[in-house]
Amino acid sequence: MQSIHHPLFAAVYERLSRAGGAWEKALRREIVGAAQGHVLEVGAGTGLNFAYYDPRRVERIEAVEPDPAMLRYARRRQGEALVPLQLHQARVEDLPFADETFDSVVATLVFCSVEEPARGFAEIRRVLKPGGLLLLAEHVRAASPVTARLQDLLTPLMRRCAGNCHWNRATLTTLTEAGLRVVSRRHEGGGLMPLVIVRAVKE
């Protein structure tokens, strides 16, 4: 795999995140607030989710992020978590944890930039306990053929400018092909960046 280090994008992302709107914060609160038990957060980025973990539901968190530039910001937010949280520099494709370790996995706006998404979902399935829950929010390929074609055209540029971000991935299909069963989903937004919010389980 190629090296993951995007210091300019990390700085821009951090600046934009500070101005994040109420809608984004509410979405993070919804996704992260549903986690329970021993939690894995993949692609922790700059640590925007850390403050939303519910100490009444969550015992501890392991958070992985492959980009050292993102990790620097995440470490600054580590203290915002109200439960014990450990940060690791690692890719979702190669998780440094034993099989069936976690009760919940959280992934928010991560799989657009994962180099090998099918392998990443397979690793999530491996480390989840039977009945464990994946909580995912991701922008995905548009349903409209015209918009999807425009996403295809823009994706090479976005990969270079936005930390390997792919606007055109059929992430929900990849997730189910990895053996995770979707128990709920809803779609929000539209245009070039439609969003899907998913809960899936390992059976």
Side-chain angles (χ1 to χ4, degrees), residues 15-193:
R15 182 178 293 273
L16 291 174
S17 70
R18 291 178 182 175
W23 176 85
E24 179 184 342
K25 292 176 182 177
L27 180 63
R28 291 184 184 278
R29 187 177 292 109
E30 173 193 347
I31 299 296
V32 176
Q36 60 184 359
H38 190 187
V39 177
L40 170 66
E41 181 173 338
V42 299
T46 61
L48 294 173
N49 289 334
F50 295 168
Y52 298 113
Y53 286 101
D54 186 346
R56 296 167 298 181
R57 297 171 55 87
V58 174
E59 299 167 10
R60 63 190 188 279
I61 306 156
E62 307 291 341
V64 299
E65 168 57 48
D67 189 332
M70 290 284 193
L71 270 176
R72 284 196 293 272
Y73 295 106
R75 289 191 180 102
R76 297 175 190 174
R77 289 194 171 96
Q78 191 168 359
E80 296 180 8
L82 299 178
V83 293
L85 185 150
Q86 183 70 38
L87 276 167
H88 308 264
Q89 185 174 352
R91 305 170 189 256
V92 66
E93 299 99 323
D94 295 290
L95 293 172
F97 307 108
D99 295 357
E100 301 183 359
T101 296
F102 297 98
D103 301 289
S104 308
V105 175
V106 170
T108 56
L109 304 178
V110 172
F111 272 87
C112 60
S113 61
V114 169
E115 193 67 28
E116 298 180 73
R119 182 173 168 185
F121 281 122
E123 277 287 271
I124 286 174
R125 189 180 187 282
R126 179 183 68 80
V127 300
L128 269 174
K129 297 176 182 177
L133 184 65
L134 168 63
L135 301 155
L136 175 110
E138 190 59 74
H139 65 92
V140 293
R141 188 172 184 83
S144 162
V146 174
T147 307
R149 177 57 180 154
L150 185 55
Q151 288 177 319
D152 291 338
L153 294 172
L154 288 172
T155 288
L157 174 64
M158 297 310 299
R159 289 184 63 190
R160 291 193 294 271
C161 297
N164 199 43
C165 180
H166 294 69
W167 280 12
N168 60 348
R169 282 184 168 168
T171 298
L172 195 56
T173 299
T174 308
L175 181 157
T176 56
E177 288 176 348
L180 295 161
R181 181 174 65 84
V182 173
V183 294
S184 72
R185 68 177 182 182
R186 77 173 191 272
H187 297 269
E188 293 195 3
L192 288 171
M193 295 186 70

